[in-house]
């Protein structure tokens, strides 16, 4: 058994339809890094086991929707923040927080995708629902070297979009192009205060950075384009002007991956299963043991890790 998550058996779950599971894999996400290093107000109460996602197998359930042996995945719902999270070997959670994994997706593959990939898929879906289509123009992806950014590039490329990747690590250009980026640009052009309206450069963007970066991304978006905002690596602030929204009709979508309806979660995971192969995903990860989580968190916060961090909690 390779395990992944634990919400304490001693912590009450306010839902009779709960179950215990022996997860098979977990991950270390940006939000986990913030919690572990104390660089962000993520943890709501102590003590706390971090880990905002996990995938595993049901061992027992009082929820009629699940039976022992079912393979499941969890993203969000305050796990790792308000409820003990995925960086452990057992979990007891509400049945409503889970969905069954697509048949073709192993627990390990689910955690290579993880909350980062799930968030990237939600972002792509938001742009599609707004009417952004391949051929409409370039799509910018900021924070391209991170988990959300890397998988967003892969998804957009698979769907036929021309992707422009923004990164502060020029040495990663070949890696980002291997994921499907057609062009790589320096994040420095976005990270400082800029003009309220700038040259129209892309029809859409997926931003995991926030702050001045998001403001500049919106300012450079073409008329009737759209931006999906799903992260805050640079900051929670949004020092922007209303000009792109009023004068160009740019739409800004906030991507909340934590409490999405089950139907939307299932749609996202079904599409992830069909679009991303195991071989492609393997190129985006580093794998660590549970004992390495704390030391890796500092590197993650310092931008020294690319792609996804998969955690084998049995070592």
């Amino acid at each position: 058994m390779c395990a992944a998550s634990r919400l304490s058996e001693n912590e009450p779950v306010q839902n009779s339809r709960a179950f215990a599971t022996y997860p098979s894999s977990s991950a270390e996400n940006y939000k986990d890094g913030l919690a572990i290093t104390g660089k962000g107000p993520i943890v709501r109460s102590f003590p706390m086991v971090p880990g905002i996602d996990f995938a595993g197998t049901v061992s027992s359930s009082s929820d009629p929707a699940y039976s022992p042996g079912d393979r499941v995945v969890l993203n969000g719902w305050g796990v790792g923040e308000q409820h003990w999270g995925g960086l452990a070997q057992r979990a007891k959670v509400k049945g409503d927080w889970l969905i069954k994994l697509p048949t073709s997706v192993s627990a390990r593959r689910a955690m290579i995708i993880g909350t980062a990939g799930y968030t990237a898929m939600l972002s792509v879906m938001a742009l599609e629902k707004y009417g952004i289509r391949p051929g409409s123009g370039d799509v910018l992806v900021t924070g391209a070297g991170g988990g959300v950014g890397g998988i967003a590039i892969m998804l957009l490329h698979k769907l036929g979009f021309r992707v422009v990747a923004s990164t502060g690590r020029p040495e990663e250009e070949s890696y980002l192009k291997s994921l499907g980026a057609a062009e790589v640009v320096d994040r420095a052009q976005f990270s400082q205060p800029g003009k309220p309206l700038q040259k129209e450069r892309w029809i859409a963007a997926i931003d995991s950075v926030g702050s001045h970066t998001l403001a500049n991304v919106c300012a450079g978006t073409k008329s009737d384009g759209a931006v999906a905002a799903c992260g805050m690596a640079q900051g929670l602030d949004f020092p922007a002007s209303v000009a792109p929204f009023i004068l160009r009709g740019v739409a800004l979508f906030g991507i909340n991956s934590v409490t999405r309806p089950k139907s939307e979660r299932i749609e996202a995971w079904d599409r992830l299963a069909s679009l991303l192969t195991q071989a492609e995903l393997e190129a985006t990860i580093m794998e660590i043991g549970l004992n390495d989580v704390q030391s890796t968190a500092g590197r993650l916060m310092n931008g020294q890790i690319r792609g996804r961090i998969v955690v084998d909690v049995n070592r």
Side-chain angles (χ1 to χ4, degrees):
M1 177 185 68
C2 149
S5 154
R6 175 178 196 159
L7 205 132
S8 170
E9 293 181 347
N10 297 319
E11 180 184 355
V13 175
Q14 303 303 319
N15 186 331
S16 61
R17 294 169 59 183
F19 69 81
T21 179
Y22 290 93
S24 301
S25 194
S26 190
E28 188 169 3
N29 297 275
Y30 184 79
K31 189 179 283 188
D32 299 322
L34 289 172
I36 293 166
T37 61
K39 291 186 176 181
I42 301 301
V43 176
R44 309 297 176 82
S45 63
F46 291 92
M48 178 59 60
V49 173
I52 65 171
D53 53 18
F54 69 81
T57 304
V58 175
S59 59
S60 62
S61 174
S62 59
D63 186 332
Y66 300 96
S67 301
D70 285 345
R71 299 180 313 108
V72 294
V73 63
L74 182 146
N75 303 102
W77 298 107
V79 171
E81 303 174 59
Q82 303 175 59
H83 311 284
W84 282 24
L87 293 170
Q89 294 178 322
R90 293 188 65 190
K92 185 179 180 182
V93 297
K94 296 180 182 180
D96 290 343
W97 294 351
L98 303 147
I99 66 167
K100 294 180 181 179
L101 278 173
T103 304
S104 63
V105 179
S106 66
R108 184 174 183 277
R109 182 178 170 191
M111 284 299 97
I112 297 175
I113 295 169
T115 295
Y118 160 66
T119 302
M121 189 73 253
L122 292 177
S123 300
V124 172
M125 288 163 56
L127 297 179
E128 289 177 329
K129 288 175 183 177
Y130 185 68
I132 304 298
R133 296 289 182 268
S136 300
D138 291 350
V139 179
L140 175 70
V141 175
T142 66
V148 175
I151 294 182
I153 291 169
M154 296 170 70
L155 292 171
L156 290 164
H157 175 67
K158 281 290 187 74
L159 292 167
F161 291 94
R162 184 181 188 275
V163 184
V164 178
S166 166
T167 182
R169 293 178 275 177
E171 68 275 11
E172 300 291 0
E173 180 171 355
S174 61
Y175 165 72
L176 295 174
K177 288 186 174 179
S178 75
L179 299 182
E183 182 182 349
V184 178
V185 298
D186 191 338
R187 73 180 180 196
Q189 64 184 277
F190 306 108
S191 59
Q192 300 299 322
K195 294 180 180 179
L197 276 180
Q198 300 170 25
K199 179 181 178 181
E200 297 181 59
R201 299 172 61 185
W202 38 81
I203 192 63
I206 295 176
D207 175 65
S208 60
V209 181
S211 191
H212 291 293
T213 297
L214 177 57
N216 286 314
V217 167
C218 292
T221 300
K222 293 182 178 180
S223 295
D224 299 317
V227 177
C230 60
M232 55 174 189
Q234 187 179 6
L236 282 168
D237 58 323
F238 183 41
S241 162
V242 298
F245 312 114
I246 294 176
L247 300 180
R248 290 183 182 164
V250 171
L252 177 60
F253 295 101
I255 306 301
N256 167 26
S257 64
V258 177
T259 56
R260 302 316 306 149
K262 182 166 286 191
S263 60
E264 193 170 338
R265 290 169 176 263
I266 292 172
E267 179 186 357
W269 276 99
D270 283 346
R271 293 195 66 189
L272 287 162
S274 67
L275 288 168
L276 302 177
T277 69
Q278 181 74 29
E280 292 167 333
L281 289 166
E282 289 289 347
T284 70
I285 71 162
M286 65 175 290
E287 188 164 0
I288 63 173
L290 189 58
N291 289 333
D292 304 316
V293 165
Q294 188 169 354
S295 61
T296 304
R299 294 173 58 202
L300 179 60
M301 291 296 94
N302 291 330
Q304 297 172 335
I305 294 174
R306 74 180 185 193
R308 298 280 298 138
I309 305 170
V310 176
V311 182
D312 179 350
V313 297
N314 284 328
R315 63 179 178 89

